[in-house]
Amino acid sequence: MMVHIPNVLTPEQVARCREVFDQAQWADGRVTAGHQSAQVKKNLQLPENGPEARELGDMVLAALERSPLFISAVLPQRVFPPLFNRYDESMSFGSHVDNAIRPITGTSLRLRTDVSATLFLSEPESYDGGELVVEDTYGSHAVKLPAGDLIIYPSTSLHHVTPVTRGVRLASFFWVQSMVRDVSRRSLLFDLDMSIMQLNKEVPKSPSLVMLTGVYHNLLRQWAEP
Ligand code: NI
């Protein structure tokens, strides 16, 4: 289940990210990588607890809270404070699966990574390469989105970022622990929610809407670990 969520950030917010990036000190991206992924990771990151990452991270978190599509697709229980990365020419991130458990630095909290997320912050025409490629049971999907758009995919997937061959690829990335751990259940709930919303537009007074909305909540009640 991959879901594209357009316009999570406004053009002004994307511009603010780029302004901060221009002034920031970038560090080696391997600081947050596990043993296997450190061997294939070649990029730069904003330091995790630096003021730049926190300012922009809070902006991303606030934007996610206002996104009904994100909430419906992910059913977030806990969101990792967003991180930011940069791929210059010839940088890439080879094939890996994200670590299952992430301690949240500066707290005693941990998060199980159910959903992985990439928020694109460079316009696609400003760089070549740098596609996020996600493998699932239906094959591999290459993703490169407009600045401000988000892609979410199951953290269980093998994925990589192809080498950047021109320009700079900037992005935010983070993980989410979902209230519904199983991706097939999450996907059913998402399809049901989207159908209910569509039906609500097409036949707003239908009594079936009450029933279907009830089914949605009763499934969520059975499956969610809030
Ligand atoms: Ni990854």
Side-chain angles (χ1 to χ4, degrees), residues 78-198:
R78 184 173 289 164
V79 183
F80 194 89
L83 299 170
F84 297 85
N85 61 17
R86 185 177 111 194
Y87 292 78
D88 292 340
E89 230 171 272
S90 87
M91 292 185 178
S92 63
F93 195 165
S95 200
H96 65 282
V97 169
D98 294 341
N99 284 3
I101 306 291
R102 290 254 160 207
I104 301 181
T105 321
T107 73
S108 56
L109 299 173
R110 283 181 300 189
L111 159 154
R112 184 188 63 233
T113 58
D114 296 320
V115 178
S116 297
T118 297
L119 174 61
F120 289 79
L121 294 171
S122 295
E123 289 305 341
E125 56 278 9
S126 69
Y127 63 101
D128 291 327
E131 280 95 1
L132 168 70
V133 180
V134 180
E135 317 276 342
D136 72 10
T137 48
Y138 295 100
S140 71
H141 308 273
V143 184
K144 187 174 190 173
L145 299 177
D149 284 17
L150 178 76
I151 188 85
I152 57 145
Y153 57 97
S155 301
T156 47
S157 325
L158 260 181
H159 57 278
H160 64 276
V161 176
T162 65
V164 169
T165 56
R166 175 186 63 92
V168 178
R169 176 198 195 265
L170 298 160
S172 173
F173 64 103
F174 54 91
W175 302 274
V176 188
Q177 180 169 327
S178 174
M179 289 190 288
V180 176
R181 176 183 191 160
D182 181 78
V183 63
S184 59
R185 289 178 174 177
R186 252 189 346 259
S187 175
L188 281 172
L189 286 168
F190 180 59
D191 289 347
L192 183 54
D193 193 24
M194 290 298 108
S195 310
I196 290 170
M197 286 207 264
Q198 191 56 38

